């Protein structure tokens, strides 16, 4: 049985005041922590503050990005060891915004995944297609090549031990969610692809992300291969995020 995971990706939002109130509201509002794992991914500079607020709670901490380098002359980078040091369990790698706006290619994402995992973090690998790719029938090919780059870097068992977030780019921040059936099809495809290379496919948690909201979370999470969600906008409002966590 895979344990559900709901992770909040705060993106470039937050302040010390907001971290204090949002983290406490999330901790106090969770109903079923044992069944569903919950994580929050604030910006780097607030990780330590969030970590102290999370002391004694089961809510996990994640980073939104991680360096592909271990240490050295890499101005502006934050390493996997540093993230562990400040209390992170997870690191998101390959979010579509990083791929599109910061030119992270499949090879770079594979290295980040591997470095994070080797350091002891659980990477959350984001994959997904653009609307154009979906309309031209290329969804599976795009997702497969994103997954294969990670298999090349970390092995298929490595991939299966991480978390995968299927996030169709056309659904991110647009209010347009994939239907549960559309999402399930891709999740099943991802699990089958892993199964071809690893015996751990059934353990791998595959999250859906892209305009998950309180009113669509339950139907998405009811699909057999959807093991939780990566939540952007709705993770910034404690009330909305809690409804989503409790739906899982
Ligand atoms: P969204 O973002 O929930 O705001 O669509 C999801 C994500 O980018 O992880």
């Amino acid at each position: 049985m895979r344990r559900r995971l709901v992770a909040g990706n705060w993106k470039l939002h937050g302040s010390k005041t907001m971290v204090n109130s949002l983290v406490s509201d999330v901790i106090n509002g969770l109903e079923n922590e044992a069944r569903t794992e919950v994580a929050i991914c604030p910006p780097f500079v607030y990780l330590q503050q969030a970590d102290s607020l999370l002391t004694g709670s089961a809510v996990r901490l994640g980073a939104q990005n991680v360096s592909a380098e271990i240490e050295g002359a890499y101005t502006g980078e934050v390493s996997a060891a540093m993230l562990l040091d400040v209390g992170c369990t997870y690191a998101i790698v390959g979010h579509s915004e990083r791929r599109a706006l910061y030119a992270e290619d499949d090879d770079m994402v594979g290295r980040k995944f591997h470095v994070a995992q080797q350091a002891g973090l659980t990477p959350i690998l984001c994959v997904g297609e653009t609307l154009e790719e979906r309309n031209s029938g290329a969804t599976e090919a795009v997702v497969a090549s994103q997954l294969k780059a990670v298999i090349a870097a970390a092995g298929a068992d490595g991939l299966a031990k991480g978390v995968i977030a299927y996030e169709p780019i056309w659904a991110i921040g647009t209010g347009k969610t994939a239907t549960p059936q559309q999402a399930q099809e891709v999740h099943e495809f991802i699990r089958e692809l892993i199964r071809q290379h690893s015996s751990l496919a059934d353990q791998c948690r595959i999250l859906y992300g892209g305009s998950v909201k309180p009113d669509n979370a339950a139907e998405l999470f009811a699909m057999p291969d959807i093991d939780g969600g990566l939540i952007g906008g709705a993770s910034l409002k404690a009330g909305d995020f809690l409804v989503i966590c409790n739906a899982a």
Side-chain angles (χ1 to χ4, degrees), residues 9 11 95-97 126 167 171-175 209-213 230-234:
N9 172 13
K11 308 192 182 185
H95 190 280
S96 63
E97 287 151 16
C126 300
E167 299 204 309
I172 296 177
T174 58
S211 298
V212 178
K213 303 282 179 236
L230 183 57
I231 319 300

Side-chain angles (χ1 to χ4, degrees), residues 13 22 40 44 46 50-51 60-61 79 101 115 123 129 141 156 166 176 185-186 209 227 244:
H13 297 284
L22 186 49
I40 53 163
F44 286 139
Y46 299 119
D51 182 55
R60 305 287 185 161
L61 192 61
S79 75
L101 304 172
V115 162
E129 80 289 358
Y166 168 57
K176 263 180 91 176
E185 270 173 30
V186 181
D227 306 311
I244 296 169

Side-chain angles (χ1 to χ4, degrees), residues 12-239:
L12 187 54
H13 297 284
S15 64
K16 289 200 276 186
T17 312
M18 184 259 216
V19 173
N20 278 334
S21 60
L22 186 49
V23 173
S24 337
D25 289 350
V26 168
I27 293 173
N28 295 331
L30 281 175
E31 281 164 15
N32 220 330
E33 275 187 75
R35 283 181 53 198
T36 298
E37 191 177 359
V38 172
I40 53 163
C41 307
F44 286 139
V45 292
Y46 299 119
L47 288 171
Q48 242 183 311
Q49 186 191 346
D51 182 55
S52 9
L53 293 163
L54 292 176
T55 306
S57 111
V59 176
R60 305 287 185 161
L61 192 61
Q64 298 173 19
N65 185 21
V66 58
S67 180
E69 307 301 336
I70 310 279
E71 68 174 353
Y74 301 102
T75 303
E77 289 289 271
V78 175
S79 75
M82 293 169 188
L83 295 177
L84 268 183
D85 198 27
V86 299
C88 288
T89 300
Y90 293 103
I92 298 173
V93 299
H95 190 280
S96 63
E97 287 151 16
R98 299 225 48 97
R99 293 179 190 260
L101 304 172
Y102 301 96
E104 291 191 13
D105 60 12
D106 281 348
D107 179 54
M108 163 74 80
V109 173
R111 279 165 47 219
K112 289 188 171 195
F113 185 101
H114 184 56
V115 162
Q117 193 161 55
Q118 290 296 107
L121 293 167
T122 299
I124 301 177
L125 168 72
C126 300
V127 298
E129 80 289 358
T130 62
L131 188 56
E132 207 176 20
E133 288 163 342
R134 170 161 287 266
N135 289 341
S136 67
T139 299
E140 292 189 354
V142 169
V143 170
S145 77
Q146 291 169 333
L147 294 173
K148 281 177 184 160
V150 174
I151 293 178
D157 287 353
L159 174 60
K161 287 179 188 159
V163 173
I164 297 170
Y166 168 57
E167 299 204 309
I169 294 167
W170 48 272
I172 296 177
T174 58
K176 263 180 91 176
T177 322
T179 64
Q181 291 70 23
Q182 279 176 322
Q184 167 60 26
E185 270 173 30
V186 181
H187 282 232
E188 195 178 342
F189 170 77
I190 292 171
R191 201 177 303 286
E192 280 311 312
L193 188 145
I194 299 172
R195 204 188 310 283
Q196 287 163 19
H197 305 276
S198 166
S199 58
L200 305 179
D202 286 323
Q203 297 173 27
C204 181
R205 291 186 291 182
I206 308 176
L207 315 182
Y208 170 79
S211 298
V212 178
K213 303 282 179 236
D215 60 1
N216 60 26
E219 54 176 12
L220 286 159
F221 299 160
M223 303 311 282
D225 287 294
I226 301 184
D227 306 311
L230 183 57
I231 319 300
S235 73
L236 296 170
K237 291 184 204 140

